[in-house]
Amino acid sequence: MQMAVVNLGPGQTVYCEAGKFLFKTANVSMETRLSGPSQGHAQGQGGQGGGMGGMLRQAMGTAMQVGQRALAGESLAFQYFTSQGGEGTVGFAGVLPGEMRALELDGTRAWFAEKDAFVAAESSVEFGIAWQGGRTGRSGGEGFVLEKFTGRGTVIIAGSGNFIDLNPADFGGRIEVDTGCIVAFEEGIQYGVQRIGGLNRQGMMNAVFGGEGLSLATLEGNGRVILQSMTIEGLANALRKAQGGDKQGATGGLFSTHAG
């Protein structure tokens, strides 16, 4: 399992999702906030106009962002780390064995990532939620929201297993992917979900015995796509088998064998 070690310049700030922090040097301060980086910046500028109206807009913006993260199943708070009086160091990691990737945003294209992929980012990067529509999200099995990153700076994401970078434009403009293998993709890539075959014998064989369910994700356009080699469902199934969960049958495991 990989980790990211971030070196901060004096006064530089990074933020992470709660639960992704590992360690820091003593001169790095830590603050937990409900507001994202865009709301925090606005508050530092006088609450988008100052006065009671600015404070009200600030509170409403924070509440909306927290509500979106709650619906997405994300952490409700962010942790901010700022180096004080010199250079500092902070360490972060994901929650599953796998790979990490630093994405460099130049302000021209946003990045979209699966739920829970976000690890940490510079304070100049804004975190948001992108709604995919209930039907597409439910069909894809990954929920109907994606994490969205805009602005300029570095974003660190994590996934399961190994990563591979693809561009659909190199494969005729379209690739079809197991819905659990998508980690992130650039703005300009069109995400969708399609059914595998029809409701016929072969379609049911694909769904029941092929291990792919009834749907595949489709990614179309010209841009970077990051896929992971391991899905959370696949990891859960492997752990269940290792614990003997696949040996329970009609007899309730009466004739199963166990080591030791």
Side-chain angles (χ1 to χ4, degrees), residues 8 12-17 24 28-41 65 69 77-83 90 92 121-125 127:
L8 300 177
Q12 187 177 10
T13 299
V14 296
Y15 67 98
C16 75
E17 188 177 45
K24 67 181 184 67
V28 174
S29 65
M30 180 172 65
E31 180 183 3
T32 301
R33 309 177 198 161
L34 292 178
S35 61
S38 58
Q39 278 77 25
H41 177 74
Q65 190 179 72
R69 294 202 301 270
F78 293 111
Q79 292 179 305
Y80 290 78
F81 302 87
T82 304
S83 182
V90 188
F92 305 100
E122 291 185 81
S123 58
S124 56
V125 175
F127 176 100

PDB file of all heavy atoms in Angstrom, residues 8 12-17 24 28-41 65 69 77-83 90 92 121-125 127:
ATOM      1  N   LEU A   8       5.710  20.831   2.457  1.00  0.00           N
ATOM      2  CA  LEU A   8       5.031  22.123   2.397  1.00  0.00           C
ATOM      3  C   LEU A   8       6.036  23.255   2.571  1.00  0.00           C
ATOM      4  O   LEU A   8       6.905  23.197   3.451  1.00  0.00           O
ATOM      5  CB  LEU A   8       3.973  22.225   3.495  1.00  0.00           C
ATOM      6  CG  LEU A   8       2.845  21.197   3.483  1.00  0.00           C
ATOM      7  CD1 LEU A   8       1.934  21.403   4.686  1.00  0.00           C
ATOM      8  CD2 LEU A   8       2.056  21.296   2.192  1.00  0.00           C
ATOM      9  N   GLN A  12       2.232  27.315   3.254  1.00  0.00           N
ATOM     10  CA  GLN A  12       1.483  26.528   2.270  1.00  0.00           C
ATOM     11  C   GLN A  12       0.509  25.593   2.978  1.00  0.00           C
ATOM     12  O   GLN A  12       0.806  25.041   4.032  1.00  0.00           O
ATOM     13  CB  GLN A  12       2.435  25.724   1.395  1.00  0.00           C
ATOM     14  CG  GLN A  12       1.756  25.004   0.232  1.00  0.00           C
ATOM     15  CD  GLN A  12       2.738  24.265  -0.658  1.00  0.00           C
ATOM     16  OE1 GLN A  12       3.924  24.138  -0.312  1.00  0.00           O
ATOM     17  NE2 GLN A  12       2.275  23.782  -1.793  1.00  0.00           N
ATOM     18  N   THR A  13      -0.680  25.406   2.363  1.00  0.00           N
ATOM     19  CA  THR A  13      -1.746  24.605   2.966  1.00  0.00           C
ATOM     20  C   THR A  13      -2.194  23.501   2.031  1.00  0.00           C
ATOM     21  O   THR A  13      -2.344  23.720   0.832  1.00  0.00           O
ATOM     22  CB  THR A  13      -2.962  25.486   3.316  1.00  0.00           C
ATOM     23  OG1 THR A  13      -2.568  26.477   4.261  1.00  0.00           O
ATOM     24  CG2 THR A  13      -4.094  24.662   3.918  1.00  0.00           C
ATOM     25  N   VAL A  14      -2.404  22.327   2.578  1.00  0.00           N
ATOM     26  CA  VAL A  14      -3.059  21.231   1.867  1.00  0.00           C
ATOM     27  C   VAL A  14      -4.212  20.750   2.737  1.00  0.00           C
ATOM     28  O   VAL A  14      -4.225  20.963   3.956  1.00  0.00           O
ATOM     29  CB  VAL A  14      -2.105  20.052   1.573  1.00  0.00           C
ATOM     30  CG1 VAL A  14      -0.996  20.465   0.632  1.00  0.00           C
ATOM     31  CG2 VAL A  14      -1.544  19.471   2.859  1.00  0.00           C
ATOM     32  N   TYR A  15      -5.188  20.119   2.107  1.00  0.00           N
ATOM     33  CA  TYR A  15      -6.312  19.574   2.864  1.00  0.00           C
ATOM     34  C   TYR A  15      -6.568  18.146   2.419  1.00  0.00           C
ATOM     35  O   TYR A  15      -6.208  17.742   1.308  1.00  0.00           O
ATOM     36  CB  TYR A  15      -7.572  20.436   2.705  1.00  0.00           C
ATOM     37  CG  TYR A  15      -8.177  20.448   1.319  1.00  0.00           C
ATOM     38  CD1 TYR A  15      -9.261  19.636   0.990  1.00  0.00           C
ATOM     39  CD2 TYR A  15      -7.687  21.299   0.320  1.00  0.00           C
ATOM     40  CE1 TYR A  15      -9.827  19.649  -0.267  1.00  0.00           C
ATOM     41  CE2 TYR A  15      -8.246  21.325  -0.934  1.00  0.00           C
ATOM     42  CZ  TYR A  15      -9.322  20.499  -1.231  1.00  0.00           C
ATOM     43  OH  TYR A  15      -9.885  20.518  -2.493  1.00  0.00           O
ATOM     44  N   CYS A  16      -7.193  17.365   3.300  1.00  0.00           N
ATOM     45  CA  CYS A  16      -7.478  15.978   2.993  1.00  0.00           C
ATOM     46  C   CYS A  16      -8.850  15.616   3.526  1.00  0.00           C
ATOM     47  O   CYS A  16      -9.435  16.342   4.347  1.00  0.00           O
ATOM     48  CB  CYS A  16      -6.415  15.044   3.596  1.00  0.00           C
ATOM     49  SG  CYS A  16      -6.551  14.801   5.384  1.00  0.00           S
ATOM     50  N   GLU A  17      -9.359  14.500   3.053  1.00  0.00           N
ATOM     51  CA  GLU A  17     -10.588  13.958   3.604  1.00  0.00           C
ATOM     52  C   GLU A  17     -10.275  13.326   4.951  1.00  0.00           C
ATOM     53  O   GLU A  17      -9.213  12.721   5.130  1.00  0.00           O
ATOM     54  CB  GLU A  17     -11.178  12.914   2.650  1.00  0.00           C
ATOM     55  CG  GLU A  17     -12.557  12.432   3.051  1.00  0.00           C
ATOM     56  CD  GLU A  17     -13.113  11.448   2.031  1.00  0.00           C
ATOM     57  OE1 GLU A  17     -12.372  10.548   1.612  1.00  0.00           O
ATOM     58  OE2 GLU A  17     -14.276  11.597   1.670  1.00  0.00           O
ATOM     59  N   LYS A  24       2.599  14.104  10.584  1.00  0.00           N
ATOM     60  CA  LYS A  24       3.055  15.444  10.224  1.00  0.00           C
ATOM     61  C   LYS A  24       4.217  15.843  11.128  1.00  0.00           C
ATOM     62  O   LYS A  24       4.395  15.279  12.215  1.00  0.00           O
ATOM     63  CB  LYS A  24       1.928  16.471  10.355  1.00  0.00           C
ATOM     64  CG  LYS A  24       1.456  16.732  11.768  1.00  0.00           C
ATOM     65  CD  LYS A  24       0.322  17.738  11.802  1.00  0.00           C
ATOM     66  CE  LYS A  24      -0.091  18.073  13.232  1.00  0.00           C
ATOM     67  NZ  LYS A  24       0.968  18.797  13.976  1.00  0.00           N
ATOM     68  N   VAL A  28       3.678  21.857  11.599  1.00  0.00           N
ATOM     69  CA  VAL A  28       2.517  21.886  10.703  1.00  0.00           C
ATOM     70  C   VAL A  28       1.249  21.877  11.562  1.00  0.00           C
ATOM     71  O   VAL A  28       1.036  20.945  12.353  1.00  0.00           O
ATOM     72  CB  VAL A  28       2.516  20.684   9.737  1.00  0.00           C
ATOM     73  CG1 VAL A  28       1.228  20.655   8.909  1.00  0.00           C
ATOM     74  CG2 VAL A  28       3.728  20.751   8.828  1.00  0.00           C
ATOM     75  N   SER A  29       0.434  22.913  11.420  1.00  0.00           N
ATOM     76  CA  SER A  29      -0.814  22.983  12.178  1.00  0.00           C
ATOM     77  C   SER A  29      -1.896  22.170  11.491  1.00  0.00           C
ATOM     78  O   SER A  29      -1.874  21.988  10.274  1.00  0.00           O
ATOM     79  CB  SER A  29      -1.284  24.438  12.320  1.00  0.00           C
ATOM     80  OG  SER A  29      -1.611  24.980  11.047  1.00  0.00           O
ATOM     81  N   MET A  30      -2.838  21.652  12.282  1.00  0.00           N
ATOM     82  CA  MET A  30      -3.948  20.869  11.753  1.00  0.00           C
ATOM     83  C   MET A  30      -5.263  21.488  12.218  1.00  0.00           C
ATOM     84  O   MET A  30      -5.435  21.766  13.397  1.00  0.00           O
ATOM     85  CB  MET A  30      -3.856  19.413  12.213  1.00  0.00           C
ATOM     86  CG  MET A  30      -4.995  18.530  11.696  1.00  0.00           C
ATOM     87  SD  MET A  30      -4.752  16.763  12.071  1.00  0.00           S
ATOM     88  CE  MET A  30      -4.840  16.768  13.865  1.00  0.00           C
ATOM     89  N   GLU A  31      -6.184  21.684  11.287  1.00  0.00           N
ATOM     90  CA  GLU A  31      -7.489  22.269  11.596  1.00  0.00           C
ATOM     91  C   GLU A  31      -8.566  21.492  10.851  1.00  0.00           C
ATOM     92  O   GLU A  31      -8.416  21.208   9.660  1.00  0.00           O
ATOM     93  CB  GLU A  31      -7.528  23.744  11.187  1.00  0.00           C
ATOM     94  CG  GLU A  31      -8.847  24.429  11.478  1.00  0.00           C
ATOM     95  CD  GLU A  31      -8.878  25.874  10.992  1.00  0.00           C
ATOM     96  OE1 GLU A  31      -7.881  26.311  10.375  1.00  0.00           O
ATOM     97  OE2 GLU A  31      -9.889  26.553  11.216  1.00  0.00           O
ATOM     98  N   THR A  32      -9.636  21.139  11.531  1.00  0.00           N
ATOM     99  CA  THR A  32     -10.753  20.428  10.922  1.00  0.00           C
ATOM    100  C   THR A  32     -11.895  21.400  10.670  1.00  0.00           C
ATOM    101  O   THR A  32     -12.294  22.135  11.573  1.00  0.00           O
ATOM    102  CB  THR A  32     -11.240  19.280  11.827  1.00  0.00           C
ATOM    103  OG1 THR A  32     -10.158  18.377  12.054  1.00  0.00           O
ATOM    104  CG2 THR A  32     -12.388  18.526  11.172  1.00  0.00           C
ATOM    105  N   ARG A  33     -12.402  21.424   9.438  1.00  0.00           N
ATOM    106  CA  ARG A  33     -13.479  22.341   9.069  1.00  0.00           C
ATOM    107  C   ARG A  33     -14.558  21.579   8.295  1.00  0.00           C
ATOM    108  O   ARG A  33     -14.277  20.596   7.612  1.00  0.00           O
ATOM    109  CB  ARG A  33     -12.979  23.476   8.170  1.00  0.00           C
ATOM    110  CG  ARG A  33     -11.769  24.237   8.643  1.00  0.00           C
ATOM    111  CD  ARG A  33     -11.390  25.265   7.596  1.00  0.00           C
ATOM    112  NE  ARG A  33     -10.029  25.749   7.762  1.00  0.00           N
ATOM    113  CZ  ARG A  33      -9.331  26.355   6.806  1.00  0.00           C
ATOM    114  NH1 ARG A  33      -9.894  26.538   5.608  1.00  0.00           N
ATOM    115  NH2 ARG A  33      -8.104  26.767   7.026  1.00  0.00           N
ATOM    116  N   LEU A  34     -15.775  22.098   8.385  1.00  0.00           N
ATOM    117  CA  LEU A  34     -16.857  21.591   7.551  1.00  0.00           C
ATOM    118  C   LEU A  34     -16.803  22.196   6.164  1.00  0.00           C
ATOM    119  O   LEU A  34     -17.284  21.597   5.202  1.00  0.00           O
ATOM    120  CB  LEU A  34     -18.215  21.894   8.197  1.00  0.00           C
ATOM    121  CG  LEU A  34     -18.540  21.147   9.494  1.00  0.00           C
ATOM    122  CD1 LEU A  34     -19.885  21.597  10.022  1.00  0.00           C
ATOM    123  CD2 LEU A  34     -18.541  19.640   9.269  1.00  0.00           C
ATOM    124  N   SER A  35     -16.240  23.393   6.036  1.00  0.00           N
ATOM    125  CA  SER A  35     -16.214  24.082   4.747  1.00  0.00           C
ATOM    126  C   SER A  35     -15.091  23.560   3.873  1.00  0.00           C
ATOM    127  O   SER A  35     -14.035  23.149   4.352  1.00  0.00           O
ATOM    128  CB  SER A  35     -16.038  25.590   4.948  1.00  0.00           C
ATOM    129  OG  SER A  35     -14.820  25.863   5.604  1.00  0.00           O
ATOM    130  N   GLY A  36     -15.341  23.579   2.564  1.00  0.00           N
ATOM    131  CA  GLY A  36     -14.323  23.226   1.598  1.00  0.00           C
ATOM    132  C   GLY A  36     -13.405  24.396   1.345  1.00  0.00           C
ATOM    133  O   GLY A  36     -13.591  25.482   1.882  1.00  0.00           O
ATOM    134  N   PRO A  37     -12.385  24.233   0.488  1.00  0.00           N
ATOM    135  CA  PRO A  37     -11.408  25.297   0.263  1.00  0.00           C
ATOM    136  C   PRO A  37     -12.006  26.562  -0.320  1.00  0.00           C
ATOM    137  O   PRO A  37     -11.567  27.656  -0.009  1.00  0.00           O
ATOM    138  CB  PRO A  37     -10.408  24.662  -0.707  1.00  0.00           C
ATOM    139  CG  PRO A  37     -11.155  23.526  -1.329  1.00  0.00           C
ATOM    140  CD  PRO A  37     -12.086  23.030  -0.283  1.00  0.00           C
ATOM    141  N   SER A  38     -13.047  26.439  -1.169  1.00  0.00           N
ATOM    142  CA  SER A  38     -13.654  27.639  -1.749  1.00  0.00           C
ATOM    143  C   SER A  38     -14.372  28.455  -0.691  1.00  0.00           C
ATOM    144  O   SER A  38     -14.267  29.676  -0.633  1.00  0.00           O
ATOM    145  CB  SER A  38     -14.636  27.258  -2.862  1.00  0.00           C
ATOM    146  OG  SER A  38     -15.647  26.391  -2.373  1.00  0.00           O
ATOM    147  N   GLN A  39     -15.113  27.776   0.243  1.00  0.00           N
ATOM    148  CA  GLN A  39     -15.791  28.488   1.304  1.00  0.00           C
ATOM    149  C   GLN A  39     -14.792  29.079   2.287  1.00  0.00           C
ATOM    150  O   GLN A  39     -14.964  30.180   2.781  1.00  0.00           O
ATOM    151  CB  GLN A  39     -16.756  27.553   2.060  1.00  0.00           C
ATOM    152  CG  GLN A  39     -18.090  27.359   1.389  1.00  0.00           C
ATOM    153  CD  GLN A  39     -17.999  26.402   0.220  1.00  0.00           C
ATOM    154  OE1 GLN A  39     -17.122  25.559   0.175  1.00  0.00           O
ATOM    155  NE2 GLN A  39     -18.885  26.530  -0.747  1.00  0.00           N
ATOM    156  N   GLY A  40     -13.736  28.348   2.575  1.00  0.00           N
ATOM    157  CA  GLY A  40     -12.736  28.854   3.500  1.00  0.00           C
ATOM    158  C   GLY A  40     -12.065  30.104   2.968  1.00  0.00           C
ATOM    159  O   GLY A  40     -11.808  31.055   3.694  1.00  0.00           O
ATOM    160  N   HIS A  41     -11.799  30.164   1.654  1.00  0.00           N
ATOM    161  CA  HIS A  41     -11.188  31.336   1.044  1.00  0.00           C
ATOM    162  C   HIS A  41     -12.141  32.516   1.101  1.00  0.00           C
ATOM    163  O   HIS A  41     -11.750  33.635   1.401  1.00  0.00           O
ATOM    164  CB  HIS A  41     -10.805  31.036  -0.403  1.00  0.00           C
ATOM    165  CG  HIS A  41     -10.230  32.216  -1.139  1.00  0.00           C
ATOM    166  ND1 HIS A  41      -8.952  32.670  -0.902  1.00  0.00           N
ATOM    167  CD2 HIS A  41     -10.772  33.048  -2.070  1.00  0.00           C
ATOM    168  CE1 HIS A  41      -8.716  33.719  -1.686  1.00  0.00           C
ATOM    169  NE2 HIS A  41      -9.794  33.971  -2.394  1.00  0.00           N
ATOM    170  N   GLN A  65     -22.694  22.339   0.830  1.00  0.00           N
ATOM    171  CA  GLN A  65     -21.571  21.457   0.517  1.00  0.00           C
ATOM    172  C   GLN A  65     -21.563  20.242   1.440  1.00  0.00           C
ATOM    173  O   GLN A  65     -21.323  19.115   1.004  1.00  0.00           O
ATOM    174  CB  GLN A  65     -20.255  22.224   0.634  1.00  0.00           C
ATOM    175  CG  GLN A  65     -19.061  21.448   0.082  1.00  0.00           C
ATOM    176  CD  GLN A  65     -17.781  22.221   0.182  1.00  0.00           C
ATOM    177  OE1 GLN A  65     -17.255  22.383   1.278  1.00  0.00           O
ATOM    178  NE2 GLN A  65     -17.260  22.691  -0.932  1.00  0.00           N
ATOM    179  N   ARG A  69     -21.967  16.241   0.344  1.00  0.00           N
ATOM    180  CA  ARG A  69     -21.019  15.193   0.729  1.00  0.00           C
ATOM    181  C   ARG A  69     -21.725  14.082   1.503  1.00  0.00           C
ATOM    182  O   ARG A  69     -21.373  12.909   1.374  1.00  0.00           O
ATOM    183  CB  ARG A  69     -19.869  15.782   1.550  1.00  0.00           C
ATOM    184  CG  ARG A  69     -18.987  16.743   0.772  1.00  0.00           C
ATOM    185  CD  ARG A  69     -17.615  16.870   1.405  1.00  0.00           C
ATOM    186  NE  ARG A  69     -17.663  17.337   2.777  1.00  0.00           N
ATOM    187  CZ  ARG A  69     -17.627  18.607   3.148  1.00  0.00           C
ATOM    188  NH1 ARG A  69     -17.564  19.556   2.214  1.00  0.00           N
ATOM    189  NH2 ARG A  69     -17.659  18.951   4.413  1.00  0.00           N
ATOM    190  N   ALA A  77     -16.297  16.383   6.922  1.00  0.00           N
ATOM    191  CA  ALA A  77     -15.319  17.423   7.237  1.00  0.00           C
ATOM    192  C   ALA A  77     -14.023  17.212   6.455  1.00  0.00           C
ATOM    193  O   ALA A  77     -13.724  16.109   5.991  1.00  0.00           O
ATOM    194  CB  ALA A  77     -15.029  17.433   8.735  1.00  0.00           C
ATOM    195  N   PHE A  78     -13.266  18.304   6.320  1.00  0.00           N
ATOM    196  CA  PHE A  78     -11.927  18.263   5.749  1.00  0.00           C
ATOM    197  C   PHE A  78     -10.931  18.625   6.839  1.00  0.00           C
ATOM    198  O   PHE A  78     -11.229  19.395   7.753  1.00  0.00           O
ATOM    199  CB  PHE A  78     -11.777  19.259   4.594  1.00  0.00           C
ATOM    200  CG  PHE A  78     -12.588  18.923   3.379  1.00  0.00           C
ATOM    201  CD1 PHE A  78     -13.667  19.710   3.007  1.00  0.00           C
ATOM    202  CD2 PHE A  78     -12.272  17.834   2.592  1.00  0.00           C
ATOM    203  CE1 PHE A  78     -14.414  19.409   1.881  1.00  0.00           C
ATOM    204  CE2 PHE A  78     -13.010  17.524   1.468  1.00  0.00           C
ATOM    205  CZ  PHE A  78     -14.089  18.320   1.107  1.00  0.00           C
ATOM    206  N   GLN A  79      -9.718  18.098   6.726  1.00  0.00           N
ATOM    207  CA  GLN A  79      -8.635  18.477   7.616  1.00  0.00           C
ATOM    208  C   GLN A  79      -7.626  19.288   6.823  1.00  0.00           C
ATOM    209  O   GLN A  79      -7.199  18.879   5.737  1.00  0.00           O
ATOM    210  CB  GLN A  79      -7.969  17.238   8.218  1.00  0.00           C
ATOM    211  CG  GLN A  79      -8.857  16.485   9.190  1.00  0.00           C
ATOM    212  CD  GLN A  79      -8.187  15.253   9.763  1.00  0.00           C
ATOM    213  OE1 GLN A  79      -7.726  14.399   9.027  1.00  0.00           O
ATOM    214  NE2 GLN A  79      -8.127  15.159  11.084  1.00  0.00           N
ATOM    215  N   TYR A  80      -7.231  20.457   7.377  1.00  0.00           N
ATOM    216  CA  TYR A  80      -6.316  21.378   6.716  1.00  0.00           C
ATOM    217  C   TYR A  80      -4.979  21.394   7.454  1.00  0.00           C
ATOM    218  O   TYR A  80      -4.938  21.432   8.688  1.00  0.00           O
ATOM    219  CB  TYR A  80      -6.899  22.790   6.693  1.00  0.00           C
ATOM    220  CG  TYR A  80      -8.089  22.940   5.775  1.00  0.00           C
ATOM    221  CD1 TYR A  80      -9.348  22.491   6.164  1.00  0.00           C
ATOM    222  CD2 TYR A  80      -7.966  23.524   4.521  1.00  0.00           C
ATOM    223  CE1 TYR A  80     -10.443  22.614   5.329  1.00  0.00           C
ATOM    224  CE2 TYR A  80      -9.054  23.658   3.688  1.00  0.00           C
ATOM    225  CZ  TYR A  80     -10.291  23.198   4.084  1.00  0.00           C
ATOM    226  OH  TYR A  80     -11.369  23.319   3.257  1.00  0.00           O
ATOM    227  N   PHE A  81      -3.889  21.387   6.693  1.00  0.00           N
ATOM    228  CA  PHE A  81      -2.541  21.353   7.256  1.00  0.00           C
ATOM    229  C   PHE A  81      -1.744  22.513   6.677  1.00  0.00           C
ATOM    230  O   PHE A  81      -1.613  22.642   5.454  1.00  0.00           O
ATOM    231  CB  PHE A  81      -1.855  20.031   6.929  1.00  0.00           C
ATOM    232  CG  PHE A  81      -2.614  18.831   7.440  1.00  0.00           C
ATOM    233  CD1 PHE A  81      -3.616  18.248   6.679  1.00  0.00           C
ATOM    234  CD2 PHE A  81      -2.334  18.306   8.691  1.00  0.00           C
ATOM    235  CE1 PHE A  81      -4.329  17.161   7.152  1.00  0.00           C
ATOM    236  CE2 PHE A  81      -3.037  17.216   9.172  1.00  0.00           C
ATOM    237  CZ  PHE A  81      -4.040  16.645   8.401  1.00  0.00           C
ATOM    238  N   THR A  82      -1.194  23.366   7.548  1.00  0.00           N
ATOM    239  CA  THR A  82      -0.450  24.547   7.138  1.00  0.00           C
ATOM    240  C   THR A  82       0.904  24.566   7.821  1.00  0.00           C
ATOM    241  O   THR A  82       0.992  24.389   9.049  1.00  0.00           O
ATOM    242  CB  THR A  82      -1.217  25.837   7.486  1.00  0.00           C
ATOM    243  OG1 THR A  82      -2.511  25.803   6.884  1.00  0.00           O
ATOM    244  CG2 THR A  82      -0.471  27.059   6.971  1.00  0.00           C
ATOM    245  N   SER A  83       1.956  24.783   7.035  1.00  0.00           N
ATOM    246  CA  SER A  83       3.296  24.837   7.582  1.00  0.00           C
ATOM    247  C   SER A  83       3.540  26.208   8.217  1.00  0.00           C
ATOM    248  O   SER A  83       3.278  27.240   7.599  1.00  0.00           O
ATOM    249  CB  SER A  83       4.321  24.578   6.478  1.00  0.00           C
ATOM    250  OG  SER A  83       5.627  24.590   6.994  1.00  0.00           O
ATOM    251  N   VAL A  90       3.875  16.389   5.623  1.00  0.00           N
ATOM    252  CA  VAL A  90       2.645  15.706   5.997  1.00  0.00           C
ATOM    253  C   VAL A  90       2.543  14.425   5.184  1.00  0.00           C
ATOM    254  O   VAL A  90       2.897  14.399   3.996  1.00  0.00           O
ATOM    255  CB  VAL A  90       1.394  16.577   5.728  1.00  0.00           C
ATOM    256  CG1 VAL A  90       0.146  15.918   6.313  1.00  0.00           C
ATOM    257  CG2 VAL A  90       1.559  17.968   6.289  1.00  0.00           C
ATOM    258  N   PHE A  92       0.005  11.156   3.875  1.00  0.00           N
ATOM    259  CA  PHE A  92      -1.372  10.730   3.639  1.00  0.00           C
ATOM    260  C   PHE A  92      -1.375   9.349   2.992  1.00  0.00           C
ATOM    261  O   PHE A  92      -0.386   8.916   2.403  1.00  0.00           O
ATOM    262  CB  PHE A  92      -2.108  11.700   2.693  1.00  0.00           C
ATOM    263  CG  PHE A  92      -2.096  13.128   3.147  1.00  0.00           C
ATOM    264  CD1 PHE A  92      -1.206  14.045   2.603  1.00  0.00           C
ATOM    265  CD2 PHE A  92      -2.990  13.570   4.103  1.00  0.00           C
ATOM    266  CE1 PHE A  92      -1.203  15.363   2.998  1.00  0.00           C
ATOM    267  CE2 PHE A  92      -3.000  14.890   4.520  1.00  0.00           C
ATOM    268  CZ  PHE A  92      -2.095  15.791   3.964  1.00  0.00           C
ATOM    269  N   ALA A 121      -5.246  17.483  -1.393  1.00  0.00           N
ATOM    270  CA  ALA A 121      -5.066  18.447  -2.478  1.00  0.00           C
ATOM    271  C   ALA A 121      -4.538  19.758  -1.927  1.00  0.00           C
ATOM    272  O   ALA A 121      -4.679  20.053  -0.726  1.00  0.00           O
ATOM    273  CB  ALA A 121      -6.381  18.696  -3.217  1.00  0.00           C
ATOM    274  N   GLU A 122      -3.917  20.541  -2.792  1.00  0.00           N
ATOM    275  CA  GLU A 122      -3.532  21.896  -2.418  1.00  0.00           C
ATOM    276  C   GLU A 122      -4.778  22.733  -2.177  1.00  0.00           C
ATOM    277  O   GLU A 122      -5.850  22.469  -2.744  1.00  0.00           O
ATOM    278  CB  GLU A 122      -2.696  22.531  -3.525  1.00  0.00           C
ATOM    279  CG  GLU A 122      -1.317  21.918  -3.701  1.00  0.00           C
ATOM    280  CD  GLU A 122      -0.504  22.670  -4.733  1.00  0.00           C
ATOM    281  OE1 GLU A 122       0.073  23.722  -4.388  1.00  0.00           O
ATOM    282  OE2 GLU A 122      -0.453  22.215  -5.894  1.00  0.00           O
ATOM    283  N   SER A 123      -4.649  23.771  -1.351  1.00  0.00           N
ATOM    284  CA  SER A 123      -5.794  24.607  -1.020  1.00  0.00           C
ATOM    285  C   SER A 123      -6.322  25.383  -2.221  1.00  0.00           C
ATOM    286  O   SER A 123      -7.440  25.889  -2.182  1.00  0.00           O
ATOM    287  CB  SER A 123      -5.425  25.580   0.104  1.00  0.00           C
ATOM    288  OG  SER A 123      -4.321  26.397  -0.276  1.00  0.00           O
ATOM    289  N   SER A 124      -5.541  25.480  -3.298  1.00  0.00           N
ATOM    290  CA  SER A 124      -5.987  26.166  -4.511  1.00  0.00           C
ATOM    291  C   SER A 124      -6.904  25.304  -5.366  1.00  0.00           C
ATOM    292  O   SER A 124      -7.460  25.780  -6.362  1.00  0.00           O
ATOM    293  CB  SER A 124      -4.777  26.607  -5.344  1.00  0.00           C
ATOM    294  OG  SER A 124      -3.943  25.488  -5.632  1.00  0.00           O
ATOM    295  N   VAL A 125      -7.071  24.044  -5.011  1.00  0.00           N
ATOM    296  CA  VAL A 125      -7.943  23.115  -5.731  1.00  0.00           C
ATOM    297  C   VAL A 125      -9.281  23.041  -5.020  1.00  0.00           C
ATOM    298  O   VAL A 125      -9.323  22.825  -3.801  1.00  0.00           O
ATOM    299  CB  VAL A 125      -7.313  21.712  -5.826  1.00  0.00           C
ATOM    300  CG1 VAL A 125      -8.283  20.728  -6.466  1.00  0.00           C
ATOM    301  CG2 VAL A 125      -6.017  21.774  -6.616  1.00  0.00           C
ATOM    302  N   PHE A 127     -12.924  21.324  -4.259  1.00  0.00           N
ATOM    303  CA  PHE A 127     -13.581  20.014  -4.221  1.00  0.00           C
ATOM    304  C   PHE A 127     -15.080  20.211  -4.383  1.00  0.00           C
ATOM    305  O   PHE A 127     -15.678  21.064  -3.734  1.00  0.00           O
ATOM    306  CB  PHE A 127     -13.288  19.330  -2.887  1.00  0.00           C
ATOM    307  CG  PHE A 127     -13.983  18.007  -2.687  1.00  0.00           C
ATOM    308  CD1 PHE A 127     -13.317  16.814  -2.893  1.00  0.00           C
ATOM    309  CD2 PHE A 127     -15.308  17.948  -2.277  1.00  0.00           C
ATOM    310  CE1 PHE A 127     -13.950  15.592  -2.695  1.00  0.00           C
ATOM    311  CE2 PHE A 127     -15.955  16.740  -2.069  1.00  0.00           C
ATOM    312  CZ  PHE A 127     -15.272  15.560  -2.286  1.00  0.00           C
TER     313      PHE A 127
END
